[in-house]
Amino acid sequence: MLRVEKPWPVAVLVLTVALFSTACTGDGEDRPQVDVVGGDKTSSASVSASGAPPERGVVEPKPPSAVQVDVELKEWATEAKAARVSAGGVYFFVSNQGKQPHELVVIQTDQSPDKLPVEGGRVPEGKVKIVGEIEPFAAESKAGKTFNLAKGKYVLICNIAGHYELGMRVALTVE
Ligand SMILES: [Cu+2]
């Protein structure tokens, strides 16, 4: 009897431990899941805290009569594929090839691209003549919009704080 009884408590013990550890594992799995969800919330909150939630660009249709200018945005450059365009409807097809949101602000000015006034890292929009703007849009997306431009000299910039001074500016002549 003793020989038969001996394995019994061992088996019960093993089974009990197995059940207990299974239950523990179950609890353990639940808790980390809560932590993971909390972690996700924390990380997305920190992403939001770094700036406005990046919206993808909106590509409006190009009017048939408009002249198209392709523009590339990245850290840290604004590159226009044309230096001169004809006056009238100018359709800016803008590709954000950077790693963060950028915008396109069209300023009519006789100043050279690097000589615009700067206050707090931005070109003060009340002190320059803004004739068009594509609001900040997400990296790896595109935006297209038409502005009616008269003959003159223009500078295209990204006016998110710091970006203009880092080099996001380029000249465009409308003739
Ligand atoms: Cu920018």
Side-chain angles (χ1 to χ4, degrees), residues 76 101-103 158 160 163 168:
W76 299 103
H102 291 296
E103 67 175 352
C158 173
I160 293 174
H163 294 200
M168 296 196 69

